[in-house]
């Protein structure tokens, strides 16, 4: 008995390993010596100028080799005019390696520039900057400035939104369902908003080799799964502790809104960093109006509980304060790749909250999601968000 | 509640930290500590721990030597016919597989006559018989099409010469007097020209020209990324070459420049001389100059002869006043020195 058990175990392990062995043999055959089977054409070099900074009498371009072969950076130009430049640490870039190209150039503020990089085979790559602005130095003043903006955009509007709590507390059950569905509608809009932003950033700044859309999709799903798993754990524990389920849901909503607001902070910081001050003023006003609705989203599930002001304020902070951190990162150490990642995490987090909300609505509303209050709430949520988003 | 919230927070934090590690992880390779310096266009000195990319000031190791090309004239293997006509024979080999470093670090597939872009400067006197043994060692069809007067069968258009050793003998009388281009005339023509299959053909008048320090400048462009826009411009192929290797000339000495514009894609090119004006003979066909100017504009294959003398020593720029071209390489310097043999007759170009 034991013997057959052992041999079946061996068989099982062997059957698990054999396909791998064949994969290795196949790879060895294709790539090994004499394997000129896939000698298909000539690989073309590609570099991506991921970031351009305007500093004192110099233009700095961060260049990444995003092609399949190593490249040499040999010529730098501004507006298609060749300039002597420095490449740090050196011009030879392996795949995905980056270098900083420093081009001495007396640039003028608010003028558009095109920075070009030519590699060893003479291929030129360029990036257009709509309006030159001095790169932000991480000074204390600026940090405070961003903190204030983050407060205006994140914390204050969310807190104002939370003031609807007493109103929501007093309304009937169906109207309450309306507000819960409204919350789901608001959040769904925010998720689309984050995805759109992530796609934009990826298209503008990331090389094709990052597979931008698939990167976004993967991060959204991972973030959704991670938060879904931990969220379920949170709700389970809530049952056995004094933490009520609605509070747990509100907490999850505030965390996911916090992740979203982090992305908004990035957008504002980056806009200021890129010199589009007028644009960022709009962004600030728009986000502020937009984000009051996020307060409702947190308030709605909490309204059937006896709520302490402290708890509510903490949730407001969780939801709102990441805007400050986002603005800092966006303004001082902006990286398109990081932005795409955070925006996608935010979208995944929101999807997770929507699923939880809908589940809850279904349980509360006698397994019925098609009541007038739920449907109209969802629709109004999307519409309100769309209308406030026009302001951005 | 504390435990559960902290669990969620730990998960969140670890996700964020993990992601930012991926995103921010420095992929910069090991920095060199050695400091280098270079000079910018406006004269500022910049220090770097990295590498200097500078087509202006680095001493280039390019394969083609514009200094040698500048004053080199090929008179051919000379013999005299029974009727007393001078016969000049040349052997010109076309190739299209060379990769040349045309600016420091930039490697480009040049198509060449006798291994260089531009090809050799063919020089004869009006009425000489030219016999050009053309061998095509390229992989594509090529020809030699001369501007000038010759029979239709010698025009290098309807007689494509096959690659891998195809041959043709071009035979015609040199004329008219002037400076003319020659180039390959196989379709797609633009491709064959921009890759470098062109050169200069000078026909001297029988009575000769006044002695002078003579030089050839082919104004050309290089479209290294094949987007029908030139990435580099130059006088004699190598961008910025005569800026860091100034052409040395003497005061009170006649300078004669044979200029041929072979730039493609851009409709015009031009030639501006600093601190002086030149007499300009369009196409070099007349012995009376048409202009006395410091600026002429040239279209495709337009050419002419410029004559000037410098009175004062020093450094003088010459460049395209279409500044885009000069900032992409078509710029040079005449370094004018005090003439040591001011009272002696010196003959050049013979």
């Amino acid at each position: 008995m034991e013997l057959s058990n052992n041999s079946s175990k061996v068989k099982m392990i062997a059957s698990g390993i054999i396909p791998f062995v064949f994969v290795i043999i196949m790879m060895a055959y294709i790539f090994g010596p004499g394997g000129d089977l896939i000698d298909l054409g000539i690989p073309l070099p590609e570099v991506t100028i991921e970031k351009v900074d305007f500093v004192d009498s110099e233009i700095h371009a961060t260049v990444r080799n995003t092609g399949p072969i190593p490249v040499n950076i040999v010529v730098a130009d501004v507006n298609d005019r060749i300039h002597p430049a420095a490449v740090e640490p050196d011009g030879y870039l392996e795949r995905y390696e980056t270098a900083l190209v420093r081009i001495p150039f007396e640039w003028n503020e608010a003028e558009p520039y095109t920075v070009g990089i030519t590699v060893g085979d003479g291929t030129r790559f360029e990036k257009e900057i709509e309006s030159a602005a001095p790169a932000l130095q991480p000074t204390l003043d600026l940090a405070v400035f961003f903190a204030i903006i983050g407060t205006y955009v994140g914390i204050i509007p969310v807190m104002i939104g939370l003031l609807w709590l007493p109103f929501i507390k007093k309304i009937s059950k169906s109207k309450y369902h309306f507000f819960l569905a409204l919350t789901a509608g608001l959040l769904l809009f925010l998720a689309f908003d984050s995805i759109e932003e992530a796609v934009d950033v990826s298209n503008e700044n990331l090389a094709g080799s990052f597979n931008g859309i698939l990167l976004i999709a993967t991060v959204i799903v991972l973030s959704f799964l991670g938060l879904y798993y931990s969220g379920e754990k949170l709700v389970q524990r809530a049952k056995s502790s004094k933490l009520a389920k609605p509070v747990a849901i509100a907490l999850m909503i505030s965390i996911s809104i916090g992740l979203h607001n982090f992305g908004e902070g990035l957008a504002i910081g980056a806009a200021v960093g890129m010199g589009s001050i007028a644009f960022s003023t709009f962004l600030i006003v728009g986000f502020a109006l937009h984000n009051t609705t996020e307060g409702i989203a947190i308030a709605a599930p909490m309204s059937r509980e006896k709520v302490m002001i402290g708890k509510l304020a903490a949730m407001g902070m969780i939801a709102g304060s990441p805007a400050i951190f986002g603005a800092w990162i966006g303004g001082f150490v902006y990286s398109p790749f990081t932005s795409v990642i955070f925006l996608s995490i935010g979208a995944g987090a929101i999807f997770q909250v929507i699923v939880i909300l809908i589940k809850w609505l279904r349980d509360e509303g006698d397994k019925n999601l098609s009541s007038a209050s739920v449907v109209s709430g969802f629709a109004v949520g999307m519409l309100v968000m769309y209308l406030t988003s026009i302001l951005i | 509640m504390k435990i559960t919230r902290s669990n969620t927070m730990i998960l969140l934090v670890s996700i964020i930290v993990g992601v930012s590690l991926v995103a921010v992880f420095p992929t910069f390779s090991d920095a060199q500590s050695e400091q280098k310096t270079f000079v910018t266009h406006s004269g500022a000195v910049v220090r770097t721990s990295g590498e200097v990319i500078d087509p202006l000031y680095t001493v280039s190791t390019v394969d083609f030597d514009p200094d040698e090309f500048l004053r080199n004239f090929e008179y051919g293997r000379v013999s005299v016919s029974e009727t007393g006509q001078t016969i000049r024979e040349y052997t010109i080999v076309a190739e299209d597989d060379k990769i040349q470093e045309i600016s420091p670090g930039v490697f480009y597939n040049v198509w060449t006559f006798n291994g260089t872009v531009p090809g050799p400067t063919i020089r004869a006197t009006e009425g000489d018989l030219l016999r050009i043994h053309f061998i095509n060692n390229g992989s594509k069809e090529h020809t030699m099409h001369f501007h000038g007067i010759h029979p239709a069968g010698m025009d290098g258009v309807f007689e494509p010469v096959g690659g891998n050793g195809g041959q043709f003998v071009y035979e015609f009388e040199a004329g008219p007097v002037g400076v003319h281009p020659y180039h390959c005339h196989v379709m797609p023509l633009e491709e064959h020209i921009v890759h470098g299959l062109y050169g200069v053909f000078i026909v001297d008048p029988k009575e000769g020209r006044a002695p002078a320090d003579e030089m050839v400048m082919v104004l050309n462009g290089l479209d290294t990324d094949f987007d029908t826009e030139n990435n580099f411009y130059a006088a004699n192929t190598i961008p910025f070459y005569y800026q860091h290797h100034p052409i040395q000339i003497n005061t009170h000495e006649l300078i004669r420049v044979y200029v041929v514009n072979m730039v493609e894609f851009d409709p015009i090119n031009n030639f501006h001389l600093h601190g002086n004006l030149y007499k300009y003979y369009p196409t070099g066909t007349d012995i009376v100059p048409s202009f006395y100017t410091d600026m002429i504009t040239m279209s495709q294959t337009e050419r002419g002869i410029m004559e000037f003398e410098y009175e004062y020593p020093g450094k003088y720029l010459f460049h395209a006043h279409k500044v885009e071209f000069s900032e992409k390489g078509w710029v040079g310097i005449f370094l004018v020195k005090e003439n040591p043999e001011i009272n002696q007759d010196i003959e050049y170009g013979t």
Side-chain angles (χ1 to χ4, degrees), chain B residues 183-250:
Chain B
H183 57 87
C184 175
H185 211 299
V186 168
M187 298 298 282
L189 186 53
E190 198 173 56
E191 180 181 81
H192 285 251
I193 292 178
V194 298
H195 272 87
L197 289 172
Y198 47 79
V200 177
F201 170 42
I202 296 170
V203 182
D204 290 322
K206 281 179 177 148
E207 61 279 15
R209 295 182 190 273
D213 182 358
E214 296 196 316
M215 48 193 82
V216 179
M217 284 190 200
V218 177
L219 311 184
N220 47 6
L222 293 161
D223 174 22
T224 54
D225 53 6
F226 314 107
D227 60 355
T228 67
E229 276 179 35
N230 287 308
N231 296 57
F232 301 97
Y233 296 87
N236 297 339
T237 309
I238 310 298
F240 302 106
Y241 186 85
Y242 296 122
Q243 176 156 329
H244 53 88
H245 300 94
I247 299 170
Q248 300 199 11
I249 56 175
N250 294 322

Side-chain angles (χ1 to χ4, degrees), chain A residues 235-259:
Chain A
V235 173
Q236 274 170 25
R237 292 207 186 183
K239 280 177 187 161
S240 57
S241 76
K242 56 180 178 171
L243 177 67
K245 189 182 176 187
V247 178
I249 288 178
L251 177 62
M252 276 187 279
I253 291 179
S254 29
I255 289 170
S256 67
I257 287 178
L259 284 169

Side-chain angles (χ1 to χ4, degrees), chain A residues 73-74 80-91 97 102 104 120 122 124 226 230 234 237 255 337-338 341, chain B residues 3-4 11-12 19 23 27 29 32 40-41 46-51 53-55 105-107 224-225 231 324 327-328:
Chain A
I73 293 171
V74 291
D80 204 18
R81 309 291 183 264
I82 296 167
H83 289 270
V87 200
E88 291 167 358
D90 62 79
E97 202 181 351
R102 293 172 50 204
R124 179 174 174 272
S230 54
L234 189 70
R237 292 207 186 183
I255 289 170
F337 186 75
T338 328
I341 297 289
Chain B
I3 298 161
T4 51
L11 187 80
L12 270 177
V19 164
T27 41
S29 56
Q32 295 160 298
T40 71
H41 281 181
V46 175
R47 269 171 221 292
T48 174
S49 59
E51 199 178 302
I53 45 170
D54 183 358
V106 181
F107 293 85
T224 54
D225 53 6
N231 296 57
E324 178 194 354
E327 294 199 6
K328 288 160 95 171

Side-chain angles (χ1 to χ4, degrees), chain B residues 279-305:
Chain B
K279 289 174 188 156
Y280 187 63
Y281 306 79
T283 320
T285 44
D286 206 336
I287 48 164
V288 181
S290 304
F291 304 103
Y292 182 56
T293 179
D294 62 5
M295 178 69 193
I296 50 143
T297 299
M298 301 165 120
S299 180
Q300 272 68 44
T301 71
E302 265 199 273
R303 68 280 186 186
I305 298 172

